[in-house]
Amino acid sequence: VEFLYCDLASMKSIRQFVQQFRAKNCPLHVLVNNAGVMLVPERKTEDGFEEHFGLNYLGHFLLTNLLLDTLKQSGTHSHNARIITVSSATHYVGKLHLNDLQSRCSYSPHGAYAQSKLALVLFTYQLQHLLTANGSHVTANVVDPGVVNTELYKHVFWVVKVVKWMTAWLFFKTPEEGASTTIYAAVSPEMEGAGGCYLYNEERTKSADVAYDEELQRRLWTESCKMVGISDEASRLP
């Protein structure tokens, strides 16, 4: 195991990480997009993005796009490279505000978090569409890990923290249990060649209806390219 530092809240850090990784000339068979924050107070990343949207979504969007060439070179007809993005059931109540992706008009920690998780689902579906259109041996799927007992809940109201402390053993998954669907998506033979799926408890299920809006997927993709400073056309190259 070798560690390379990457701060998903920093576009500069992401680009430096990709440069370091590429310099190793290693294949890339599995990319898991799993970093995230939840219900943080209103604040910005060093690039000026609202933190939920900047870290949870844009960081993964840029990282994935910068690694696409390596993923495409690593995948084969019989063993596709795999991209797994971790979203949340919260995306079901999320709304994507294309005219206010930074939540500047009215900030709500819950709304911003849900929007970032919906964006990840829309991104995954559009990414799979582009990969299929290019004939790439890469698949993209999105995972809902369930309610997992981690430090992600440190910004919730204190009453919720108390309830979590009292009931976690009964209602929350352990981190190992929470990782099971991600691992399934990454290595299971059953998922070979399968892309554009929303997975929960190692099963394909239906995401929010709005996530299947192809026009919304395309518009978010185009806007995201502008925000992180990459070419929309370059990201579509086979």
Side-chain angles (χ1 to χ4, degrees), residues 60-237:
H60 291 121
F61 179 86
L62 178 61
L63 178 67
T64 302
N65 272 280
L66 294 181
L67 291 172
L68 267 184
D69 284 344
T70 306
L71 285 157
K72 291 172 181 177
Q73 293 164 10
S74 304
T76 66
H77 177 71
S78 57
H79 291 89
N80 283 200
R82 304 186 187 189
I83 302 167
I84 298 93
T85 297
V86 180
S87 181
S88 162
T90 309
H91 92 275
Y92 286 105
V93 297
K95 295 182 180 179
L96 194 78
H97 302 285
L98 276 172
N99 296 324
D100 186 26
L101 292 172
Q102 304 301 318
S103 303
R104 293 190 179 100
C105 294
S106 177
Y107 181 78
S108 158
H110 293 83
Y113 176 70
Q115 176 179 246
S116 73
K117 290 301 178 178
L118 174 58
L120 289 170
V121 183
L122 288 158
F123 155 67
T124 299
Y125 292 164
Q126 177 64 5
L127 176 59
Q128 183 59 55
H129 171 74
L130 297 174
L131 291 168
T132 301
N134 291 330
S136 302
H137 299 308
V138 184
T139 58
N141 291 297
V142 60
V143 166
D144 173 5
V147 182
V148 187
N149 188 14
T150 69
E151 291 299 311
L152 193 63
Y153 297 87
K154 63 184 179 181
H155 291 289
V156 300
F157 192 54
W158 70 269
V159 173
V160 179
K161 288 183 180 179
V162 172
V163 173
K164 174 181 176 290
W165 178 76
M166 296 174 62
T167 63
W169 65 275
L170 182 62
F171 297 112
F172 284 62
K173 292 182 178 181
T174 65
E176 291 78 12
E177 291 169 339
S180 64
T181 302
T182 299
I183 296 170
Y184 172 80
V187 302
S188 172
E190 297 175 17
M191 293 303 296
E192 179 57 47
C197 303
Y198 185 85
L199 302 169
Y200 176 66
N201 284 344
E202 300 182 16
E203 294 184 357
R204 304 179 198 190
T205 188
K206 188 175 182 295
S207 61
D209 289 340
V210 67
Y212 299 103
D213 185 332
E214 295 182 0
E215 176 63 20
L216 188 60
Q217 294 169 16
R218 287 191 292 269
R219 291 178 64 191
L220 174 63
W221 185 281
T222 298
E223 187 61 29
S224 301
C225 287
K226 294 177 183 176
M227 295 174 80
V228 301
I230 61 175
S231 168
D232 195 355
E233 290 303 315
S235 65
R236 302 182 186 212
L237 292 176

